[in-house]
Amino acid sequence: MDDLISVIIPVYNAEKYIERCVKSIQNQTYTHFELILVNDGSTDNSLNLCEILASNDDRIVVVTRDNGGASAARNTGLAHIRGNYVIFADSDDYVSPSYLENLYFAAKQGNYDIVQCNLESTSDTNKKLQTVAFDSSDVKEITKVQALNERKYKVCVWGKIYRSHIFCDFHFREGIIYEDDASYYIFVDRAKKLSILDETLYFYFMSENSVMRNNQKDKSTAFVSIYEDRIKYFSERDEKALLEGTYDRFCLVLMLSFSSSLEHDNNINDRKHWLNLFNKYYPLVIKAKFVSTKDKVMFTLFRLSPRIIGRIIGKLR
């Protein structure tokens, strides 16, 4: 255990959960880590709890800042890292005692720049956390095309271990919704080698904060600039396969957003814009080599009759 792992946890009004989250890190089988708790302008007792936890464990560092959101807190955390590897967690979630160790062993096994483990969504407040024995056969190398185009890598920043060089001269975009969507493809592109660890080590707790994040009004409008930035990013780097995969994903998101707006009768003013964007990228996705025939047929049907196909999709979801 020679490598120091920097663990970053943004903390905002998490007094109900932060102690459980921190203790799940403190109880890791891999002990050579620093835990950076970034208090993001909490107005409850979160900062006090963080300071108490830090006073009893010299591996914990508490940094406080004005409220700026999760991305801003992560940027602050990155400014303080000393480790060769970086891992994230959210303050209302918790992890297996072997979260750090197994991800680290997997990364070292194949000299991987990013390794993703499995996650489980849970509302269990008293879940007994089990140590998962590391098995080298659970590590599966994947390509960038598999990670992004085949969606084998999840958008979330947590649930992964990263070599620290991934974050060199990088800042999470602040003040936006879908901040993880705006960054994860850049991490994948910067990595030389990627893998998946087929072990469930991260537990996404369905708290009130999670529900609030998932129900922000009109959040579906935020993805447009993110995908257009992603298209520009891969165009400039002449990454044809990843560019075509982005066309595919963007058209799918536009179609699903249109369908959802019909089902819930919201975002009415955005529907025309989404259809215009869909029609703009449709010729590109139809010509794309790396887009499946199934997706091309689905997109063609939607283009011919967006309302009918949109309502059918809504009923099937």
Side-chain angles (χ1 to χ4, degrees):
M1 296 186 182
D2 295 328
D3 289 298
L4 177 68
I5 298 176
S6 297
V7 183
I8 299 174
I9 301 179
V11 181
Y12 177 70
N13 289 354
E15 62 180 7
K16 293 181 180 179
Y17 314 107
I18 188 58
E19 186 173 3
R20 179 183 63 188
C21 179
V22 169
K23 286 188 174 180
S24 75
I25 299 294
Q26 287 178 302
N27 293 331
Q28 291 294 296
T29 53
Y30 190 100
T31 59
H32 190 39
F33 65 83
E34 61 175 358
L35 174 54
I36 304 169
L37 301 176
V38 183
N39 174 51
D40 188 37
S42 296
T43 57
D44 63 0
N45 198 40
S46 294
L47 176 58
N48 182 51
L49 291 172
C50 288
E51 290 176 337
I52 291 172
L53 291 164
S55 68
N56 296 311
D57 191 335
D58 59 11
R59 298 172 299 179
I60 301 177
V61 176
V62 179
V63 182
T64 190
R65 53 158 296 135
D66 293 337
N67 178 250
S71 288
R74 288 169 182 164
N75 287 334
T76 298
L78 287 172
H80 289 81
I81 63 171
R82 296 181 296 117
N84 299 320
Y85 291 87
V86 179
I87 283 181
F88 296 89
D90 279 358
S91 58
D92 46 356
D93 300 336
Y94 46 94
V95 297
S96 161
S98 43
Y99 180 53
L100 301 189
E101 181 173 68
N102 290 16
L103 282 172
Y104 173 73
F105 283 171
K108 295 295 283 187
Q109 174 178 307
N111 195 26
Y112 296 114
D113 293 303
I114 309 176
V115 181
Q116 173 184 273
C117 68
N118 297 336
L119 66 90
E120 177 184 317
S121 296
T122 180
S123 57
D124 189 347
T125 57
N126 295 300
K127 189 176 186 68
K128 186 176 180 181
L129 299 176
Q130 303 287 342
T131 300
V132 179
F134 176 73
D135 186 340
S136 60
S137 65
D138 289 336
V139 183
K140 309 295 182 184
E141 184 169 342
I142 62 171
T143 65
K144 294 180 183 182
V145 168
Q146 289 174 313
L148 295 179
N149 294 7
E150 298 179 19
R151 303 163 201 160
K152 291 186 181 295
Y153 257 25
K154 298 184 185 302
V155 170
C156 48
V157 69
W158 33 260
K160 301 178 179 73
I161 189 169
Y162 307 81
R163 288 292 299 267
S164 58
H165 74 81
I166 294 292
F167 301 100
C168 181
D169 298 322
F170 174 84
H171 282 81
F172 287 98
R173 283 179 59 181
E174 300 180 12
I176 64 169
I177 304 170
Y178 296 137
E179 64 269 16
D180 288 0
D181 293 74
S183 57
Y184 88 112
Y185 66 89
I186 297 175
F187 303 153
V188 169
D189 186 57
R190 288 185 172 194
K192 291 182 179 179
K193 295 182 69 179
L194 306 160
S195 71
I196 291 176
L197 176 61
D198 189 19
E199 296 172 4
T200 302
L201 305 173
Y202 192 97
F203 299 92
Y204 177 81
F205 182 65
M206 301 300 292
S207 66
E208 293 176 2
N209 289 339
S210 304
V211 173
M212 181 175 66
R213 289 197 302 269
N214 291 333
N215 285 285
Q216 296 179 66
K217 291 184 179 179
D218 295 336
K219 69 178 184 178
S220 55
T221 60
F223 66 80
V224 172
S225 65
I226 290 174
Y227 273 98
E228 292 188 321
D229 285 348
R230 179 168 163 177
I231 288 169
K232 181 181 178 182
Y233 179 90
F234 287 127
S235 294
E236 291 175 345
R237 286 158 179 77
D238 197 26
E239 296 275 6
K240 186 175 181 180
L242 299 179
L243 175 61
E244 291 184 350
T246 303
Y247 293 152
D248 185 26
R249 182 62 180 169
F250 192 19
C251 285
L252 179 63
V253 171
L254 287 166
M255 184 179 68
L256 292 176
S257 295
F258 184 89
S259 171
S260 179
S261 74
L262 292 175
E263 184 179 5
H264 301 290
D265 197 29
N266 60 2
N267 298 99
I268 296 172
N269 295 328
D270 296 304
R271 290 178 194 165
K272 184 176 180 180
H273 181 48
W274 292 339
L275 283 178
N276 287 338
L277 283 170
F278 182 91
N279 290 329
K280 174 184 176 181
Y281 287 105
Y282 173 79
L284 297 173
V285 80
I286 288 299
K287 294 177 183 177
K289 175 182 177 182
F290 297 95
V291 176
S292 70
T293 302
K294 177 183 175 182
D295 280 3
K296 290 180 181 180
V297 170
M298 177 175 61
F299 292 149
T300 299
L301 292 173
F302 178 75
R303 186 168 183 265
L304 292 172
S305 186
R307 285 187 171 271
I308 292 175
I309 300 303
R311 292 195 181 281
I312 291 173
I313 291 171
K315 292 180 179 180
L316 294 176
R317 290 175 71 184

